[in-house]
Amino acid sequence: MTLPGNRLLVITDETQCFDDTVLRRLVEARSGGPFSVVVRDKHMSPRWRRGLTEELKRADFEVIVADPPDSEARVHLSAQAELPNHAVTCLGRSWHQGDGIPSSRTLDYVTYSPIWASASKPGYGPTVGIDGLGAFCGAAPIPVYALGGVETPERIHAARAAGAYGVAVMGAVMRSVEPAEVVRRFNDAL
């Protein structure tokens, strides 16, 4: 099993950066402490995503690519995506209520969502809540990252107490005018 190098996953979304780019936002956020980056931005072209991935790697970020358009070593699959047909060093997947329990034979970790209502995906749900997260973490044979509405240190504490290995966030960092402070607070809570 190979896990992401950090308990904090930051998922990219250029549309939430407003007057900034994902790369600049993440470089600024890094002064708040370590995190792994999941390049998601599936609405962008494969060429744009490859470019961002390469820039992030050159900037020495740990990069995981969501539903990669080509072969990547660290992969995060959406709930419906097929397993890659190439070798990977780390394989994660998005998981939702009703999907059953993930297998440790194929996956290294999952993100489980939405725990709480999310400003990044309003109306997406139903939410599983902290009790649902706890039940899922107790049954899952692999590490679970809580995702969805994890926007405060209190929620991070609650997610960890429920058994989550870490947390995954998008909007809290992508929309912040002080991304380094957000990352610092999240790392302190983890």
Side-chain angles (χ1 to χ4, degrees), residues 75-86:
V75 173
H76 184 91
L77 300 172
S78 60
Q80 301 81 18
E82 292 184 21
L83 291 171
N85 56 10
H86 64 278

Side-chain angles (χ1 to χ4, degrees), residues 12-143:
T12 66
D13 187 346
E14 178 96 356
T15 64
Q16 295 191 48
C17 289
F18 305 118
D19 62 346
D20 206 353
T21 67
V22 167
L23 181 62
R24 280 197 303 259
R25 184 67 47 97
L26 293 174
V27 167
E28 183 180 340
R30 183 167 41 195
S31 66
F35 56 90
S36 301
V37 177
V38 178
V39 175
R40 186 173 174 276
D41 292 283
K42 291 186 271 185
H43 57 283
M44 303 301 266
S45 72
R47 181 178 178 191
W48 184 92
R49 291 177 67 212
R50 274 192 300 277
L52 175 61
T53 299
E54 291 309 312
E55 287 182 81
L56 289 166
K57 288 177 181 177
R58 279 193 299 274
D60 208 25
F61 282 95
E62 179 188 41
V63 180
I64 303 164
V65 180
D67 295 335
D70 49 19
S71 61
E72 285 290 333
R74 295 178 161 281
V75 173
H76 184 91
L77 300 172
S78 60
Q80 301 81 18
E82 292 184 21
L83 291 171
N85 56 10
H86 64 278
V88 298
T89 58
C90 179
L91 182 61
R93 181 183 288 280
S94 298
W95 215 264
H96 307 286
Q97 188 174 16
D99 287 346
I101 302 299
S103 168
S104 61
R105 289 179 299 220
T106 55
L107 299 172
D108 296 310
Y109 73 94
V110 294
T111 57
Y112 191 55
S113 69
I115 308 307
W116 293 279
S118 169
S120 297
K121 289 186 173 183
Y124 187 77
T127 61
V128 298
I130 203 67
D131 291 337
L133 173 64
F136 182 79
C137 290
I142 57 177

